[in-house]
Amino acid sequence: MIEFSGVNKWFGALHVLCDIDLAVTRGEVVVVCGPSGSGKSTLIRCVNGLEPYQKGRLMVDGIHVGQEPRRMRELRMEVGFVFQSFNLYPHKTALENVTLAPIHVRGMSRVAAAERGRALLERVGLGDRMGSYPHQLSGGQQQRVAIARALCMQPKVMLFDEPTSALDPEMVKEVLDVIISLAGEGMTMMVVTHEMGFARSVADRVVFMDQGSIIETATPESFFTNPQSERGRDFLGKVLQH
Amino acid sequence: MLGTLNTRVMLEYLPELLQGLQATLLLSVSGFAGAMLIGIIACALTIQPLRWPRAIVIAYVDIIRATPLLAQLYFLYFGLPRIGILIPEFHIGIIALALNSGAYVAEIIRSGILSIQRGQVEAGISTGLSYLQRMRHIVLPQALRPTVSPLIGQAIVLVKDSSLLSLISVVELTRAGQRIANERFMPFEGLVATATAYLAIYFLLKFLAELWSRHNSLPDRA
């Protein structure tokens, strides 16, 4: 479904992605972790073309990302993205946020889009907040609207860029629960997160990055109990301490 | 001072003054409409990715901001006939006002667009919305809201700027006031009459600006 082969990216002189090789198969849940500045976010932002890369090859759902500019919209229709800072449209209600793209990109009728949008908002537990504007919602509620917005396009892949990092601790669970239920349905996902408990319970594989490189890839069980790399041990020692 | 004001002469010139007011209003409305058109196009050209149109607009905005309106006005007034374009002073005046304010309008609208967080645009990109769809549904509805007050401010500036057109013999409010000075040797009466009219226009625009901001600063839009 997603295949990085020798992908490299530079921000000026800074080498942010170094020879990335990674394949994510259909239905797989891959959690990407690592210290800040390790290139995790950049990695998943490449998948839907939010960031260009300079060298190597990245194939997503049969589309060569960056080489087929005309097919990028087609690709983005199939790849949902959830941001750390939610990025809801503040001038639109929760339901309008969710139905905007299905109406204008998928060409759905307003009625059909609203029906699907309502079902998704119900599903993320916001059935009673359809008409609310983002500033009237809590962070956790906003992030759940953002997830519903991405799902409303019926994507084949979902990408999550630190979806709970901007949330107050008591709201983390309500967002993670939604992601866990998606994993249970067989959605293909890449999740950048610092929530190690969540990673352990939901991931099929954990990818550990540092300084732009993938240091190790392992099942959560083996990564969390017996990391193979020095840097992996060091990182786990820091995040699992408390 | 005002006690000695010769109101009889001012009333005598009322028809001329009203005619001048009418001309000033027409110049201002057409000038501002032109400025909005130029400003929106110029702004659109600065935020699109192609380099040449962007460079041209930047040069235009710089030139307008760096030179006095009077110089721009004379440039058109004496310059256009030299390249064979002969149009009435009134129209030259409208063009000058539109070109001048257009540069400021472009900057005002651009600042509104730049105030939209990049993340919202990325959210639009990620769901497959095209550039035009993002502009139409996400960026512009939010960007234009905060520009209304500064745009009314620019309109107020434009109304006052239109007084410079009296220097290329367009008969507008200021010119009408000058007639009282020239024909009756009463410059003060002429000034008071024109100032009163400008003040009236100003308060009208200020009222509109306040009405708009009161209507739009409600804490809860839901």
Side-chain angles (χ1 to χ4, degrees):
Chain A
M1 196 74 196
I2 303 172
E3 192 176 357
F4 290 85
S5 335
V7 170
N8 280 271
K9 178 179 173 63
W10 289 265
F11 279 130
L14 192 66
H15 201 172
V16 285
L17 292 178
C18 320
D19 294 319
I20 300 292
D21 288 302
L22 176 69
V24 180
T25 56
R26 194 177 295 273
E28 197 178 16
V29 178
V30 171
V31 164
V32 185
C33 62
S36 35
S38 58
K40 319 176 290 281
S41 293
T42 310
L43 180 82
I44 70 163
R45 284 167 62 86
C46 282
V47 175
N48 74 343
L50 280 179
E51 296 283 353
Y53 58 93
Q54 282 85 38
K55 204 176 132 207
R57 200 167 93 116
L58 170 56
M59 297 294 295
V60 178
D61 194 25
I63 295 173
H64 191 165
V65 179
Q67 295 300 310
E68 300 174 88
R70 287 205 187 83
R71 297 183 68 192
M72 284 313 284
R73 283 189 73 191
E74 190 185 325
L75 171 85
R76 286 166 180 147
M77 288 161 74
E78 305 302 337
V79 179
F81 199 103
V82 175
F83 299 86
Q84 179 177 354
S85 49
F86 331 133
N87 296 344
L88 294 181
Y89 312 130
H91 60 304
K92 294 192 177 290
T93 64
L95 186 61
E96 288 166 349
N97 264 277
V98 172
T99 57
L100 180 70
I103 292 169
H104 296 287
V105 180
R106 286 257 189 241
M108 283 179 79
S109 74
R110 274 163 204 283
V111 178
E115 196 175 317
R116 186 190 287 175
R118 272 192 217 100
L120 280 164
L121 285 171
E122 296 271 1
R123 182 185 157 172
V124 298
L126 293 171
D128 54 338
R129 306 309 302 266
M130 312 249 186
S132 301
Y133 286 90
H135 72 277
Q136 299 170 319
L137 299 171
S138 71
Q141 290 172 328
Q142 289 191 48
Q143 191 62 300
R144 285 183 282 150
V145 173
I147 294 173
R149 174 173 67 183
L151 288 176
C152 205
M153 288 295 284
Q154 299 193 311
K156 296 179 184 161
V157 178
M158 285 286 284
L159 306 171
F160 293 86
D161 186 7
E162 303 200 26
T164 59
S165 298
L167 297 177
D168 292 335
E170 75 271 21
M171 293 168 183
V172 169
K173 187 175 178 299
E174 64 190 51
V175 171
L176 292 183
D177 284 345
V178 173
I179 304 176
I180 290 167
S181 86
L182 274 176
E185 285 169 22
M187 175 66 82
T188 310
M189 300 200 281
M190 286 182 79
V191 186
V192 173
T193 186
H194 294 293
E195 298 292 333
M196 291 301 139
F198 161 79
R200 202 162 174 168
S201 68
V202 81
D204 293 312
R205 258 191 310 158
V206 174
V207 169
F208 173 68
M209 289 184 74
D210 192 19
Q211 294 179 348
S213 300
I214 294 180
I215 306 297
E216 61 177 289
T217 306
T219 62
E221 200 48 40
S222 86
F223 179 69
F224 287 109
T225 53
N226 183 24
Q228 296 302 302
S229 63
E230 182 66 33
R231 281 189 272 185
R233 271 194 293 279
D234 195 43
F235 174 73
L236 285 177
K238 280 174 190 151
V239 296
L240 296 176
Q241 236 163 31
H242 47 88
Chain B
M1 194 163 73
L2 286 176
T4 62
L5 198 65
N6 191 333
T7 44
R8 194 183 49 78
V9 171
M10 285 165 72
L11 282 174
E12 197 182 310
Y13 275 86
L14 195 58
E16 281 86 351
L17 287 166
L18 286 176
Q19 224 170 7
L21 176 64
Q22 195 187 8
T24 289
L25 288 175
L26 185 60
L27 285 166
S28 302
V29 170
S30 340
F32 195 68
M36 284 298 292
L37 189 70
I38 293 171
I40 289 169
I41 293 170
C43 176
L45 291 175
T46 54
I47 56 173
Q48 55 80 46
L50 291 177
R51 193 188 265 176
W52 275 109
R54 224 165 51 206
I56 291 168
V57 171
I58 291 170
Y60 155 67
V61 172
D62 282 346
I63 289 169
I64 295 292
R65 295 219 292 188
T67 58
L69 172 58
L70 186 59
Q72 296 159 18
L73 188 61
Y74 280 148
F75 184 81
L76 292 174
Y77 184 63
F78 296 114
L80 288 181
R82 290 185 71 151
I83 55 168
I85 301 173
L86 297 167
I87 50 174
E89 295 87 2
F90 196 84
H91 294 166
I92 292 179
I94 292 173
I95 293 171
L97 289 174
L99 279 174
N100 180 269
S101 270
Y104 296 97
V105 168
E107 290 291 285
I108 291 170
I109 296 178
R110 198 168 75 99
S111 72
I113 288 175
L114 293 180
S115 72
I116 304 301
Q117 288 158 355
R118 172 79 192 149
Q120 288 184 44
V121 175
E122 289 192 342
I125 293 173
S126 302
T127 48
L129 293 170
S130 68
Y131 177 79
L132 289 177
Q133 287 174 330
R134 296 195 300 269
M135 274 292 161
R136 158 127 197 271
H137 298 290
I138 302 169
V139 178
L140 291 181
Q142 298 183 78
L144 297 185
R145 206 172 264 273
T147 62
V148 171
S149 293
L151 283 176
I152 293 177
Q154 183 59 39
I156 291 170
V157 171
L158 185 141
V159 172
K160 293 183 293 175
D161 279 350
S162 72
S163 65
L164 284 179
L165 303 189
S166 61
L167 296 170
I168 57 165
S169 63
V170 173
V171 181
E172 40 65 74
L173 201 46
T174 300
R175 185 85 170 183
Q178 282 167 353
R179 277 187 61 184
I180 305 184
N182 297 340
E183 294 169 9
R184 297 298 182 89
F185 308 107
M186 290 182 184
F188 192 68
E189 275 70 9
L191 276 171
V192 171
T194 48
T196 309
Y198 282 120
L199 210 58
I201 300 174
Y202 168 77
F203 277 119
L204 176 72
L205 288 170
K206 190 183 165 193
F207 173 72
L208 289 178
E210 274 170 9
L211 204 66
W212 196 89
S213 73
R214 202 178 315 151
H215 182 73
N216 282 278
S217 62
L218 299 173
D220 244 17
R221 275 175 288 126

